[in-house]
Amino acid sequence: MKAKRTSLTTILKTTLIYIELIVVAVIIIYPLIWIVGSSFGSSKGLANASPIPDHTTLNNYIDLFRNTNFPIWYVNTLKVAAANMVFGVLLSTLGAYAFSRFKFKGKKASLLTMLILQMFPAFLTAIAVYMLFLNFGLLDSLTGLAIVGVAAQLPYNIWLLKGYIDNISMSFDEAALIDGASRTQIFIRIIMPLASPMLTFLAVLQFAAPWMDFILPRLLISSEEKKTVAIGLYSMISDQTKNEFTLFAAGSVIVAIPIAILYIVLQKYLINGLTAGGDKG
Amino acid sequence: MNNSNNKQTTPAWATGILSAIVWGGGQWLNRQYLKGLVFFLIGAGSLTAELTTGHYNDMSAGFRLRDNGGFFLKGLWGLVTLGTQPRKMGMSGLTPGDHSIVLMANGIIALFVILILVFFYVWNIRDAVMARRRMNESGIHQSSLQDMKQLWESMYAYIVLSPAALLTLFICILPIVFGVLIAFTDYSRSNTPPTKLVHWVGFDNFVTVTQVFSWMHTFLNVLLWTFVWAILATITTYFFGFFQAVLLNNSDVKLKKLWRSIYILPWAVPAMISALVFKSMFNGQFGPISQFLLDTGLTDERIYWFTDPNHTYLARILALLINLWLGFPYFMALIGGTLTTVSDSYYEAARMDGATSSQTFWKITFPIVYKATAPLLMLSFVSNFNNFGVIYFLTEGGPANPDYNFAGNTDLLITWLYKLTLDNRLYNMGAVMSIIVFLIVASFSLINLRKSKSLEEI
């Protein structure tokens, strides 16, 4: 009798677990289906948006590419994201290599400075960056946007990578030194490959950031043809009178899908990277 | 090298003095011509920069920093005075006035460049003395190239770091210095250059924040809500993520990978898009949620979730719930990963002792996972404290609160700052608040840091 009761409670428990899993899954998926459905809807505007549109149409997407600057914004963001990724990863790896492998004067002070820099709210610097770029002619330019993107993340990235490289055994370096490798060669041939899981993590973050970075582009970019998707998409729904909700939906789907796939495919790297970041404070 | 037996050795201090007078002079005396040239060019270059950017050809009215100074001298003058003449409408049209903020920015840039130059200047003297001393002691002359090769070896770390350091110096540190200085000025929308001058006002803005009731009232309330938000947002996402991870870890659940991929979606979709989608869904006038509640007869009228000033808690609770949607997958993934590392032997032992499943959870699973994820909890607290995206895109700080200075009921300190500086152009007050936010965040981070070992490791 006892065995039967246990199995009954087990079945009950499993059922409850499945109910919970399904309920949460529905809550997760509904808003996403809703926005995808809205993007295929035939009627403009928010009031008629529904997850399963009455007349499925691609008009919103066609509209988005023909009648708005979305393609330009997309290419702009792609450029900034690529530059952000390449230079962000390169500079932070170089920095982390120096901090991890060499002893030099001012090392502790610089590491502490970078730690403190991470804690400043971005707004404190926003106006100053504006003034600075005004002076150097970098206002309203994608180069400027990429420079800030790289610089703003440098302190955090260097800290994160330093912790990771610290854990790579020095014996690899020493073996290479005996073989006559220079320190630059060691960096390229040994440190970079061994740190590649962390580099992947940083590369994904650096690439994904410009797509959703809002404050800096809004401040630094003024002309329509230099806008990034975050600004463009926001302007589509922040203006109550224009009623471009379905366009926004289509744009969001196009932006979100590649990034979502990237995250899901690379989730293992991302979780490892975040855990390592936590260990290092 | 051929001169190694030179009888009349030049004393080291003499090369130092020569380098102090002319950049690279000492190196020239040491016959390290290439190095001397590099130093000389740095010195001459900065002097040329000062001369060409200033107006040194026209000093008929005597030398005045405002009119004649170049990049360095006028920069410092601007930083100290913030300009002396506003733009005015004169007989012959607009007179060119001083733009205080541009002057201030230029001044800080000049100051930073001067600091770097001072560093090179001292190095130039030190290098001459050291090189001479080495030569005098060993009697062997070293050429520039040999010396520089040695330098490359000993300075490798600095050279590798220099691009990152320069970028950080000019794009991170310089703007922060600028921002901090703005807190001590009267730069705001009622006082914008070039028609008006900005002045140094000392601690006046800090006094205003603490003594003017409306500022203090807004600040304390926004601060309180920011704390409530950050604590609740962290706890809810952590525990729900934990719960979901434990459920998924149950051996009876099939298709784990599929479930996990679904739950990870809110993390994978850019948060700004999700927040804007929720904003549209909960739009009071046109949104489907209000419509649904109305159609099913659950409510008599449309609910204005984020704009109804009579139901401020509705907006706050909803923002927390949506943040839970956005935030739990991260902790679920993280804790799911940690759970797989917990050794089965613990559970075996617990089963032998006849522990119930809730005992097993609270005595074994929770402490192990908590220990592994505690530093990330603090990190999450700090990022929730400064969670601009969720609040700004979801509620824009609404519902509006007439008792607050430029803030709504769901505004966090960080979104309030955004409104103060970028929407309302109260730059000085924004800067004061930024400093306060920094102090709060920094103290939390430091507590966290003291617990972890990373500081000792440096």
Side-chain angles (χ1 to χ4, degrees), chain B residues 203-407:
Chain B
F203 282 90
D204 283 9
N205 297 319
F206 292 86
V207 172
T208 309
V209 169
T210 47
Q211 294 193 344
V212 175
F213 174 76
S214 61
W215 281 110
M216 202 57 193
H217 178 69
T218 316
F219 173 70
L220 287 180
N221 281 296
V222 172
L223 181 70
L224 182 68
W225 162 239
T226 308
F227 265 107
V228 170
W229 158 271
I231 292 168
L232 288 180
T234 309
I235 290 178
T236 50
T237 49
Y238 185 77
F239 278 97
F240 191 65
F242 207 140
F243 182 65
Q244 215 61 20
V246 170
L247 283 193
L248 275 183
N249 208 36
N250 190 306
S251 51
D252 291 331
V253 174
K254 303 279 183 296
L255 299 170
K256 287 194 165 81
K257 217 166 178 182
L258 175 75
W259 292 113
R260 197 168 289 130
S261 297
I262 293 174
Y263 297 143
I264 220 148
L265 279 172
W267 187 34
V269 173
M272 175 190 164
I273 287 183
S274 311
L276 288 174
V277 168
F278 276 112
K279 182 194 179 150
S280 313
M281 285 183 84
F282 286 96
N283 183 307
Q285 208 172 350
F286 304 109
I289 307 276
S290 285
Q291 187 64 43
F292 174 78
L293 291 175
L294 196 65
D295 290 347
T296 52
L298 285 169
T299 54
D300 298 334
E301 49 192 20
R302 288 185 157 277
I303 300 178
Y304 289 81
W305 304 92
F306 298 130
T307 45
D308 187 349
N310 299 319
H311 296 97
T312 55
Y313 281 96
L314 192 65
R316 289 181 170 183
I317 291 168
L318 199 57
L320 277 167
L321 285 176
I322 289 167
N323 185 67
L324 178 61
W325 188 95
L326 288 161
F328 92 87
Y330 160 63
F331 278 121
M332 185 200 72
L334 198 68
I335 293 168
T338 319
L339 281 179
T340 57
T341 64
V342 181
S343 163
D344 274 339
S345 59
Y346 291 124
Y347 294 117
E348 288 292 331
R351 204 171 302 140
M352 302 281 254
D353 291 348
T356 65
S357 50
S358 82
Q359 276 174 330
T360 321
F361 176 80
W362 287 110
K363 293 276 178 338
I364 299 173
T365 316
F366 185 76
I368 292 176
V369 173
Y370 178 75
K371 198 160 175 272
T373 50
L376 290 165
L377 265 177
M378 190 51 105
L379 221 60
S380 166
F381 175 83
V382 169
S383 75
N384 276 318
F385 196 91
N386 283 336
N387 198 332
F388 175 82
V390 172
I391 294 297
Y392 188 78
F393 296 125
L394 196 63
T395 69
E396 287 181 60
N401 189 329
D403 294 339
Y404 288 178
N405 274 3
F406 311 103

Side-chain angles (χ1 to χ4, degrees), chain A residues 48-247:
Chain A
N48 300 315
S50 86
I52 304 146
D54 298 336
H55 307 284
T56 316
T57 164
L58 281 173
N59 280 344
N60 295 315
Y61 289 91
I62 297 167
D63 225 24
L64 189 69
F65 279 91
R66 287 225 183 112
N67 302 332
T68 71
N69 286 325
F70 187 79
I72 301 174
W73 303 336
Y74 202 88
V75 173
N76 286 345
T77 320
L78 204 61
K79 283 183 195 160
V80 176
N84 213 16
M85 184 175 76
V86 173
F87 292 105
V89 170
L90 189 71
L91 285 181
S92 41
T93 326
L94 271 175
Y97 174 55
F99 277 122
S100 173
R101 286 299 194 251
F102 300 103
K103 280 205 169 105
F104 53 89
K105 242 194 207 166
K107 179 172 165 181
K108 193 168 181 172
S110 347
L111 276 171
L112 273 177
T113 311
M114 287 196 305
L115 204 65
I116 293 166
L117 283 180
Q118 292 174 43
M119 300 167 195
F120 269 96
F123 299 93
L124 192 59
T125 68
I127 311 154
V129 171
Y130 183 88
M131 287 297 163
L132 199 70
F133 279 19
L134 187 75
N135 275 315
F136 293 138
L138 284 168
L139 224 49
D140 201 22
S141 94
L142 297 175
T143 318
L145 217 51
I147 291 176
V148 195
V150 170
Q153 283 304 317
L154 261 185
Y156 172 77
N157 290 351
I158 288 183
W159 258 96
L160 198 62
L161 264 171
K162 179 197 169 280
Y164 197 85
I165 296 177
D166 280 346
N167 288 333
I168 297 174
S169 166
M170 281 289 273
S171 57
F172 292 110
D173 301 40
E174 282 153 13
L177 260 182
I178 292 168
D179 289 347
S182 75
R183 280 173 294 195
T184 315
Q185 281 170 329
I186 293 176
F187 172 70
I188 294 168
R189 301 250 173 86
I190 294 174
I191 300 293
M192 296 257 287
L194 284 176
S196 61
M198 205 51 161
L199 296 187
T200 316
F201 169 67
L202 287 186
V204 174
L205 288 197
Q206 289 285 101
F207 184 81
W211 297 92
M212 287 303 112
D213 189 12
F214 178 76
I215 303 162
L216 278 171
R218 205 186 138 181
L219 191 70
L220 301 177
I221 301 291
S222 49
S223 62
E224 185 69 18
E225 58 271 21
K226 294 279 174 59
K227 273 186 181 173
T228 61
V229 283
I231 307 293
L233 287 179
Y234 185 73
S235 69
M236 282 179 174
I237 60 162
S238 59
D239 194 343
Q240 295 282 350
T241 53
K242 276 205 284 188
N243 219 5
E244 287 175 328
F245 177 73
T246 46
L247 283 181

